[in-house]
Amino acid sequence: MCGVTLRLEGDRVLEVRGDPEDPLSQGHVCPKVLGLKAVHEDPDRLRTPQKRIGDRWESIGWDQAFEEVSARLREVRARHGRKAVAVYQGNPTVHNIGSMLFGQLFVRALRTPHKYSATSLDQLPHMLASLEMFGHQLLLPVPDVDRSDHLLMLGANPLVSNGSLMSGGDIGGRLKALQARGGRLIVVDPRRTETAAIADTHVFVRPGADALLLAALVREVIAAGPRLGRLAAFTDGLDALRAAVDDFTPERVAGATGVPSETLRALARGLLEAERPVVYGRMGVCTQRFGGLAAWLVNALNLVLGRVDAEGGAMFTTPALDAVSAAARLGQAGHFARRRSRVRGLPEFGGELPAATLAEEIDTPGEGQIRALVTSAGNPVLSAPNGRRLDAALPGLELMISIDIYRNETTRHAHYILPPTFGIEHEHYDAAFHLLAVRNTAKYAPAAVARGPDARHDWEIFVELASRLDASPLGRVKGRAQRAALLRMGPGPILDLGLRVGPYGRARDGRPGLTLARLAAAPHGVDLGPLQPVLPGRLFTPEGRIRLAPAVFLADLPRLRECLDEAPAELVLIGRRDLRTNNSWMHNDRRFVKGKPRCTLLMHPDDAAARGLESGGRARLRSRVGSVEVPVELDEALMPGVVSLPHGWGHHREGMALAVASAHAGVSINDVIDERDVDALSGTAALNGQPVEVTRAEA
Ligand SMILES: Nc1nc2c(c(=O)[nH]1)N[C@H]1C(S)=C(S)[C@@H](COP(=O)(O)OP(=O)(O)OC[C@H]3O[C@@H](n4cnc5c(=O)[nH]c(N)nc54)[C@H](O)[C@@H]3O)O[C@H]1N2
Ligand SMILES: Nc1nc2c(c(=O)[nH]1)N[C@H]1C(S)=C(S)[C@@H](COP(=O)(O)OP(=O)(O)OC[C@H]3O[C@@H](n4cnc5c(=O)[nH]c(N)nc54)[C@H](O)[C@@H]3O)O[C@H]1N2
Ligand SMILES: [Mo]
């Protein structure tokens, strides 16, 4: 989402820089931008389809690859039924316009209930809250940081992540601007993070206890007199909400949250006294035991403060490509718990099952067992909980296909790897992140360099495979003529149509309607202005009103109450992100991994001393599912009783083709994260707050 300018010599990238004329990012780029060049040039990046024969890899042509892959998928289906084929779509899917527009063709053609993605390792609880409260899983509120004067942030670290469900480029600069206007930034996090370090106030919270903290804040705000304001006319459930949180007094939750009652009251007061407050919660609040409740309570708190759909509050975008309306028209506003997973009975969300159950669905025999898996832009061996179990389960598959640019921890198990083009080799329109940005802008970039000879885009791979699998449910990509038509068309015409029917598609106020051609003619992007109030018009609940107290959340409150009197675990584990790189796949360039090791266990000095550990010493980190050995880094910024390890490392496995990454392997946090530990409501993995043991590693 950060605008960049490339200096090219032919198809060689000489330099990547921030584009000062980009209306959203205004010249800012985060360190990850270097990956655009590094991955583009990476000698380890796969350029031709790969076929594995035993442990030997062979390059094959695309025709052979498509023929064999589709024939073998059909074969598994004929033998075991369509339920035997599973698909996992990873995070870069949402950065890729081709995958966004054509990936579903392929997934639908599989006609399988075994659909998985990184969503259930990430923002699913926020989507569930939006579905239940606003009627649409994609109608996600974004904090209007540019106009707020008081931001209460829980479980997010935008100075490293650059903002999530809050795209903006230079979020750090925007936060400092908020403070310069006299506003306040309050960070609630078990670690005094890079973001907490610039905040006006930082509050330690015990991992997993945010729902309790938020319930107390909702209670305090309602007790002070709710301020729904104009929202009152189309909001239901205030009495039910009031009753639901009534017993979560600051005194009652102080012990379990680790936040003194006076601090909780001060947090509530801060919100009540500010003119334009907003509450924002992210990874730390949603990928934990009470992720669903916490995501709901963030929205509920913004609502009772009257801060939803209000300037400087929690607002909705008006995106040029309006995926929210499009999904609603296609009947895809979302659904939840219509069916449950075979082995553990976890709920579906939007047709997907939680990634935390993928390994057991592969290695547990019985009707409906997964026999074939397609992964696309995903590395679940490193990103899903108990990655070791998945790593051990994958060789048992009859067939595994990976659409990926690397042979890595996951794709090394595939029988075929189909490598797509990357980054600047294909066109770009951010279908997902314009939806989640702090300002309405739109930008289209054509491919900047020619793709390699005989290279395929992700979307072309999807079209080829979909058309070769029998009976696509759309009935449109079956057969060669339709395939050829789709391949000729590509994402362009769909994007163009989407823009034309979108909110800026018609000429208005002397401005011509937005089309792909007009967007392409403005290479820096177009500014569509600050976020605008859109409610109640944009609500998708059947009654057209906001639901403050949906039944699914109320029904989960007894579970939250139970933990009020639980004895806290002695030591719990949380994650963190690496500033230079993204998730698991950017460690294959020296610039990203140089310097001191980045995959270390951060530990409070007192916790380390109690275990005989010193800085630089090696610790064994252990849980029910496994253990890893990792260097310790003492850090007073951690709440005592909490240790932190980044995810996305552990590149030491056999059969990978990532030379630099393997030489800087680190360990995978998900080798100790327990896949059974999920948010029982939503099935989202509890990636934060699991109990662990740390001891000195044996010499
Ligand atoms: N413990 C713990 N686990 C976590 C997290 C955490 O905080 N803690 N974070 C979670 C989050 S938020 C996420 S989003 C997930 C990510 O989970 P995944 O999406 O499973 O993992 P990534 O590491 O993002 O891997 C992306 C894969 O896509 C490939 N790739 C990159 N670009 C492209 C492309 O253009 N096309 C194709 N076909 N492939 C491409 C890469 O080579 C890599 O294999 O991890 C989750 N796991
Ligand atoms: N540099 C870089 N940028 C990235 C990524 C990356 O890997 N590297 N990944 C991208 C992706 S896929 C995503 S989803 C976003 C995520 O973006 P963010 O959500 O902003 O990033 P995280 O670092 O995961 O922030 C989670 C925070 O929650 C805290 N935390 C852990 N447990 C708890 C808890 O129980 N309660 C509270 N209140 N806090 C808790 C952690 O200490 C951490 O500071 O970042 C994106 N941007
Ligand atoms: Mo993510």
Side-chain angles (χ1 to χ4, degrees), residues 217-464:
L217 295 185
V218 171
R219 184 192 180 281
E220 290 305 289
V221 169
I222 294 181
R227 321 168 156 200
L228 281 165
R230 66 178 269 272
L231 302 171
F234 47 89
T235 298
D236 294 324
L238 181 59
D239 291 339
L241 179 67
R242 179 189 286 120
V245 298
D246 193 49
D247 53 331
F248 294 100
T249 59
E251 287 69 25
R252 186 77 181 92
V253 305
T257 55
V259 184
S261 57
E262 312 83 74
T263 307
L264 288 163
R265 288 187 197 283
L267 288 176
R269 230 175 11 251
L271 289 168
L272 287 164
E273 285 168 6
E275 209 171 302
R276 276 165 290 126
V278 64
V279 185
Y280 163 72
R282 197 46 198 99
M283 273 297 281
V285 304
C286 73
T287 49
Q288 50 139 297
R289 269 207 293 174
F290 297 106
L293 284 178
W296 163 54
L297 288 165
V298 166
N299 287 350
L301 188 51
N302 278 319
L303 281 163
V304 294
L305 287 163
R307 300 302 299 152
V308 170
D309 202 40
E311 275 187 24
M315 299 196 76
F316 302 98
T317 52
T318 309
L321 182 73
D322 185 2
V324 175
S325 304
R329 256 183 255 125
L330 294 169
Q332 290 171 2
H335 46 78
F336 173 56
R338 285 198 185 153
R339 60 187 171 88
R340 297 207 160 242
S341 67
R342 176 182 69 107
V343 177
R344 214 192 314 172
L346 294 180
E348 65 81 31
F349 181 79
E352 281 182 20
L353 294 171
T357 187
L358 177 58
E360 65 197 9
E361 291 289 337
I362 297 173
D363 68 19
T364 311
E367 171 69 24
Q369 182 184 2
I370 296 172
R371 312 293 186 138
L373 172 67
V374 183
T375 69
S376 165
N379 191 4
V381 166
L382 293 194
S383 56
N386 200 353
R388 206 172 265 161
R389 179 171 181 180
L390 190 61
D391 208 7
L394 295 179
L397 290 166
E398 290 177 23
L399 176 65
M400 179 169 162
I401 318 291
S402 292
I403 304 171
D404 206 287
I405 54 177
Y406 285 121
R407 169 142 55 86
N408 61 20
E409 297 75 8
T410 297
T411 63
R412 71 198 171 111
H413 294 295
H415 297 94
Y416 295 87
I417 306 176
L418 308 177
T421 56
F422 175 78
I424 56 175
E425 293 165 348
H426 57 71
E427 62 199 321
H428 188 71
Y429 180 92
D430 235 309
F433 296 97
H434 284 308
L435 211 68
L436 307 168
V438 300
R439 188 176 177 90
N440 292 315
T441 63
K443 186 179 55 192
Y444 172 82
V449 297
R451 55 168 134 174
D454 205 27
R456 298 289 197 279
H457 298 310
D458 280 275
W459 66 267
E460 290 172 318
I461 297 171
F462 288 128
V463 170
E464 290 281 358

